[in-house]
Amino acid sequence: MRRHLTIAVVAAVALPGVASAQLDLPRYAHTASLLPDGRVLLCGGLGPYDCFTLGSEISEAPGVFTPGPPIHRARAFHTATALQDGTVLIVGGFVLPYSTASTAELFDGTRFVFLPHRISERRELHAATLLMDGRVLITGGFVGGKRSLELCDLYEPALRRFVPTGSLADDRYGHTATLLPDGRVLVTGGLQFPANRTLRSAEAFDPATGAFAAAGEMADERYRHTATVLQDGRVLITGGMSLERDHQLASTELYDPLTGRFQPGPPMAEARMDHTATLLPDGRVLITGGFSAVGEPHTLASCEAYDPATREFAAAGELPAPVHEHRATLLPDGSVLITGGMVVAGGRRATVAETAVLTP
């Protein structure tokens, strides 16, 4: 029996003919972090005409956001990681004056604190993964207009400092970095620049040794995809873009950390990149939105849910409006909050200030 999601429209996208938006500022390429008290912190991003979105916003109730404290640097394509002590670590990103940052700051619940230590290299479109011991692994990234990175760092929260660690075998950005049940971090795919090629390779970081080791290859090369750990410990890889195939992907793969192998998964109904994937409390994975250039380039409103019990994707309704480069946050009550993003339709682009709540 297929289960469905109920979509509650808290506010709709700021486009002609649709109700006014709820966010204080429209934004995409931002971050959304669940705070210990159940609120959601939105930080940075880009707004209309790709202008930087200054400051932050905090939800006081699902979909009801108020301006938060100012951040020290306007950032986009950065990372935000909720730490074990309740603070949120903000790292790197695309910053004014249109360059790539090596700086970081902490949100302590009331304000942003600028950190004196920097990461080893400027980076955006990198990945940040909270390890079981409380440290944060920073992997890869892109130095705007120059090159992709193999350099990686570890953030030590007790000392509030970054230290270099082992390097990736393949420089990459737009990849995923996922914490496995055994404490390792699985890195998949990504894009290399200036070689301009997408990767199918995977690597695993071992916190005990600080080194990366080869972890097999995916069937499809992909970047701007998702990777989600299922309740049985396997990792579901969905969508993304393949330069080799010159289009977005509907294909999925499943990585088994016990065997170290990728196996083909069921295809999604639609090819998509820059979508979101959220593990629901019942074990399903909710896929929302995304971008597709299959046919005329367009943003998707469709949602799908992968059910490990049936090993299939099923339609899960539609968002109030199409969106990609948005964020999806699992709330304490099991619902999913969708914030911001971008829409492309009919050759036009718009940044949105949408919020919606999806209830399983």
Side-chain angles (χ1 to χ4, degrees):
M1 176 175 155
R2 291 186 175 180
R3 292 166 286 183
H4 298 278
L5 295 169
T6 299
I7 300 178
V9 182
V10 178
V13 60
L15 291 175
V18 189
S20 61
Q22 183 65 47
L23 291 181
D24 183 51
L25 294 171
R27 60 181 80 215
Y28 75 96
H30 57 292
T31 54
S33 306
L34 183 67
L35 301 177
D37 59 9
R39 296 180 300 163
V40 177
L41 171 71
L42 301 189
C43 182
L46 298 173
Y49 307 105
D50 293 331
C51 293
F52 281 89
T53 303
L54 301 175
S56 65
E57 300 185 44
I58 299 178
S59 67
E60 301 302 331
V64 180
F65 284 84
T66 59
I71 56 178
H72 292 272
R73 297 292 301 272
R75 306 172 188 264
F77 301 110
H78 53 289
T79 57
T81 309
L83 304 183
Q84 293 177 348
D85 63 3
T87 60
V88 178
L89 175 68
I90 310 294
V91 176
F94 178 51
V95 297
L96 288 172
Y98 303 102
S99 61
T100 305
S102 62
T103 57
E105 44 194 300
L106 277 177
F107 178 71
D108 65 6
T110 59
R111 64 192 180 102
F112 288 90
V113 179
F114 198 80
L115 297 178
H117 290 94
R118 300 191 173 203
I119 49 180
S120 59
E121 177 63 87
R122 297 176 295 145
R123 64 187 82 209
E124 58 188 272
L125 289 165
H126 51 289
T129 311
L130 180 67
L131 304 179
M132 290 181 175
D133 61 10
R135 294 179 297 167
V136 179
L137 175 67
I138 310 296
T139 55
F142 177 62
V143 182
K146 294 185 177 179
R147 62 189 180 97
S148 48
L149 299 172
E150 74 285 347
L151 301 175
C152 300
D153 291 289
L154 283 168
Y155 175 72
E156 299 178 338
L159 301 175
R160 292 191 172 183
R161 71 175 186 181
F162 294 92
V163 295
T165 189
S167 295
L168 294 163
D170 291 314
D171 56 283
R172 61 183 85 206
Y173 74 93
H175 55 289
T176 63
T178 311
L179 182 67
L180 299 175
D182 62 9
R184 295 178 300 151
V185 175
L186 176 69
V187 175
T188 69
L191 179 68
Q192 290 186 318
F193 186 85
N196 203 38
R197 69 184 186 101
T198 39
L199 300 172
R200 56 171 48 90
S201 66
E203 308 181 42
F205 175 79
D206 187 342
T209 63
F212 287 88
E217 286 194 342
M218 298 181 290
D220 280 314
E221 57 177 51
R222 60 184 86 216
Y223 82 111
R224 307 296 283 271
H225 53 294
T226 66
T228 309
V229 179
L230 305 178
Q231 290 180 344
D232 65 5
R234 294 178 301 159
V235 181
L236 174 68
I237 311 292
T238 70
M241 173 69 183
S242 168
L243 295 183
E244 178 183 59
R245 299 196 178 195
D246 195 31
H247 60 71
Q248 286 75 30
L249 302 171
S251 67
T252 73
E253 307 189 38
L254 288 161
Y255 176 78
D256 188 338
L258 297 180
T259 64
R261 294 180 179 178
F262 291 89
Q263 297 292 333
M268 296 184 291
E270 297 195 76
R272 59 185 86 210
M273 66 182 288
D274 290 334
H275 52 293
T276 66
T278 307
L279 180 67
L280 300 176
D282 64 10
R284 290 178 298 159
V285 178
L286 175 65
I287 309 296
T288 71
F291 174 80
S292 177
V294 177
E296 182 180 351
H298 62 287
T299 301
L300 301 169
S302 64
C303 301
E304 308 181 44
Y306 173 74
D307 190 338
T310 63
R311 299 181 181 180
E312 293 181 349
F313 283 89
E318 291 199 348
L319 298 170
V323 68
H324 71 273
E325 272 290 357
H326 54 297
R327 298 296 176 257
T329 308
L330 182 67
L331 301 179
D333 66 0
S335 61
V336 179
L337 175 65
I338 306 295
T339 58
M342 175 189 293
V343 59
V344 172
R348 301 177 62 184
R349 298 168 69 244
T351 307
V352 306
E354 176 191 27
T355 68
V357 176
L358 283 60
T359 304

